[in-house]
Amino acid sequence: MKRDNFGSKLGILAAAAGSAVGLGNIWKFPYITGENGGAAFILVYLFCIVLVGMPIMLTEFSLGRKTQKNAVGTYKELEPNKPWYLSGVLGVFTSFIILSFYAVIAGWIFSYIASAASGELTQIEPQQLGGYFESINSGVIRPIFWTFAVIALTATIVILGIKTGIEKCSKVLMPVLVLLLGVLIVRSVTLDGASKGLEFLFKPDFSKLTKEGILEALGHSFYSLSLGMAIIMTYGSYINKKENLLKLAFQVTIADTVIALMAGMVIFPAVFAYGLEPTSGPGLIFITLPAVFAAMPLGRFFATLFFVLIAIAAITSTISLMEVVVAFVTEQFNVGRKKATIGIALAVFIISIVNNMSMGPWGGIKLFGMNIFDFLDFLTSKILLPVGGVLVCVFAGWVWGTKNIIKEIESDGLYPFKWARTCSFLIKYLAPLAIIIIFINSTEVLSYFKKGTDSNMVYFLGSLVVFMVALILLKSKRRVFSSEDK
Ligand code: PHE
């Protein structure tokens, strides 16, 4: 079977940046920035992006491009007959699960577009917006319908393939996204009292920065760049050998960061101008912002634009999540692209229904004290992503060898890489260490050992994963702890 490839530089950039720029940038980044004190948090975030995010992105791109295979195929080719391919399976699994709830959140966004465009949203009284949001996410028919729409749209683009589906669509949608952001920034910063919002975003106050804030920044840098779940690896496999990977990773990282900051410049000036709280957490865009739109002239129009903007960001991310799974199924099981995509979309839809129901009628079903939606979110973002990230670093840095990564980044000498040694150091030591710290902190895995008999299963789950990783490492019988590169 001939493999599809990206057709142009701009196309690769649009697709990879499209994956990176998502709900994480426009929904999550502003609210965690709001909760953690604004500019000081952003500075820490920038450090994390440069020291941890970029090196891992480069690693994933090189692994994929080296083999031109899906994630599982990549590990199988580089370390045949070793259990490393399980790391690829983990990435595919993580993408699949994330897709099943990412599509649900994207569904709420679609539903908000409909109600913003019809004028319904901006007519709701501010005190009632919380209840309105809850009626959407705990409903049954409406959210399931919109989730289905998101999955169907995603599958349609993925079926069309890399060049005619993902690349073409990203090349159109990403510029539209930037344009919409531009229009909304102009609207927001010209409101009376907007400057307080800009100050909040750009003037650092380090007294507000906590240890949790720093760890949140580190974790988010990872999520925001779509790392640790084989996405960038899979996209890397469609890039030709002459492409400059360093430049690409740099551009994707810059685009992701700039767009997150632009989203902040839309949200905070408007929130401050209307005297609302920047710290309202996940409800910031669903509850606080609609009140802002309702109060501004032409609010219905701007509200619609805003939710279209987030929908675009979400769709370019859902296609990357689905592509990871589709690439795996088509190549490892020799199934046609269309058949594989439809099957996967159906499976994702079924799990997304469970996710939807778990916020409404099935809210009573708890896994480790969380409803199913929250559990899957916890499992992926706090456990599977960090584990995936560490495995990529360990594999690339200690098993396949940083020399090979550098060779791939340099396209066999075509683009000499000045910071090769620094980059190798970051991949081998700093990045995995940083991720292990987030992991330990967010799963509180240590307190399981301290308290011994603590009944909270989350601790147990955390330690189980550590055990699994150790097992993979040991079974692979590689020179993991010697510095000798292949
Ligand atoms: N990077 C995307 C964002 O910022 C999130 C994402 C995570 C996309 C995982 C795909 C996979 O929202």
Side-chain angles (χ1 to χ4, degrees), residues 319-348:
I319 54 182
S320 71
L321 286 164
M322 198 178 275
E323 178 58 34
V324 172
V325 191
V326 170
F328 163 68
V329 172
T330 49
E331 289 167 22
Q332 299 302 124
F333 302 102
N334 227 339
V335 183
R337 189 169 186 89
K338 191 162 168 194
K339 208 159 143 199
T341 311
I342 293 176
I344 292 161
L346 278 177
V348 170

Side-chain angles (χ1 to χ4, degrees), residues 8-10 12-13 16 54 57-58 61-62 65 236 239-252 405-419:
S8 69
K9 276 192 198 340
L10 204 68
I12 303 171
L13 176 62
M54 271 264 297
M57 176 172 280
L58 269 172
F61 269 138
S62 356
R65 191 182 63 177
I239 297 178
N240 78 48
K241 295 279 181 194
K242 295 248 151 53
E243 201 57 50
N244 187 340
L245 291 182
L246 178 65
K247 199 163 144 198
L248 175 67
F250 189 68
Q251 288 168 337
V252 174
I405 304 181
I406 301 297
K407 222 166 122 195
E408 191 61 38
I409 295 175
E410 292 187 327
S411 296
D412 286 328
L414 197 60
Y415 309 106
F417 182 17
K418 261 197 264 157
W419 297 311

